[in-house]
Amino acid sequence: MKTIEQLLESKNIRVTAMRLLIYKFLAEKQVAVTLSDIENAFEKADRTTLYRTVKTFEEKAIVHQIDDGTGITKYALCEKGCNCEIETDLHLHFHCNNCNVTICLTEHKIPQIKVPDGFISEDINLVIKGVCDKCSGL
């Protein structure tokens, strides 16, 4: 198991205290988080630093961005071995209409979808909306 430091270094990301803290924060969450969630967790930190860290993590395939239809972008850690490639790494997301959480369903991959000739896929997003297990009581 790689340490966080080793993971960041393997992605050519300079290890800083803030990057380690943000990674640990994301790792502790079982749901996708917004930039506001990160800002609230690190109130004394510079907003620009937080934003740049998340963007760096996204560019280096440490986190992925989720558009769950709420109008607020959310982020979650990528699973081990993910490079955020359309052909192999995309998975379903579930958004609870009751508690407003979005979770990654990484075990459910999005199948390859062939688009018509001349079309180029740049991103695929598939969100299931409903009621999560905590809200349904099942």
Side-chain angles (χ1 to χ4, degrees), residues 13-38:
I13 298 174
R14 190 170 51 88
V15 177
T16 66
M18 184 53 66
R19 288 175 176 166
L20 292 173
L21 288 170
I22 291 173
Y23 186 95
K24 288 176 185 175
F25 173 78
L26 293 168
E28 290 171 0
K29 297 293 176 186
Q30 299 297 312
V31 299
V33 299
T34 65
L35 280 172
S36 293
D37 295 331
I38 296 169

Side-chain angles (χ1 to χ4, degrees), residues 1-120:
M1 170 96 183
K2 284 185 177 181
T3 66
I4 300 168
E5 292 89 346
Q6 290 170 326
L7 173 67
L8 295 179
E9 288 171 354
S10 73
K11 301 270 188 171
N12 295 317
I13 298 174
R14 190 170 51 88
V15 177
T16 66
M18 184 53 66
R19 288 175 176 166
L20 292 173
L21 288 170
I22 291 173
Y23 186 95
K24 288 176 185 175
F25 173 78
L26 293 168
E28 290 171 0
K29 297 293 176 186
Q30 299 297 312
V31 299
V33 299
T34 65
L35 280 172
S36 293
D37 295 331
I38 296 169
E39 287 175 14
N40 292 337
F42 300 99
E43 290 178 356
K44 296 186 191 273
D46 178 58
R47 291 178 74 186
T48 304
T49 300
L50 298 175
Y51 178 78
R52 286 183 182 158
T53 297
V54 171
K55 284 301 176 190
T56 297
F57 283 3
E58 184 180 9
E59 290 166 6
K60 300 290 188 168
I62 290 177
V63 301
H64 61 280
Q65 191 179 104
I66 303 162
D67 176 1
D68 62 8
T70 62
I72 301 170
T73 302
K74 295 180 181 174
Y75 299 89
L77 284 180
C78 292
E79 62 186 330
K80 183 180 177 185
C82 175
N83 291 310
C84 293
E85 294 173 353
I86 288 178
E87 298 82 18
T88 58
D89 295 323
L90 299 183
H91 56 267
L92 299 177
H93 295 96
F94 187 95
H95 177 78
C96 181
N97 292 324
N98 190 47
C99 66
N100 206 33
V101 300
T102 300
I103 62 168
C104 294
L105 302 176
T106 54
E107 64 279 2
H108 299 284
K109 300 296 183 197
I110 296 175
Q112 287 190 14
I113 298 171
K114 180 153 176 41
V115 296
D117 290 340
F119 288 72
I120 300 171

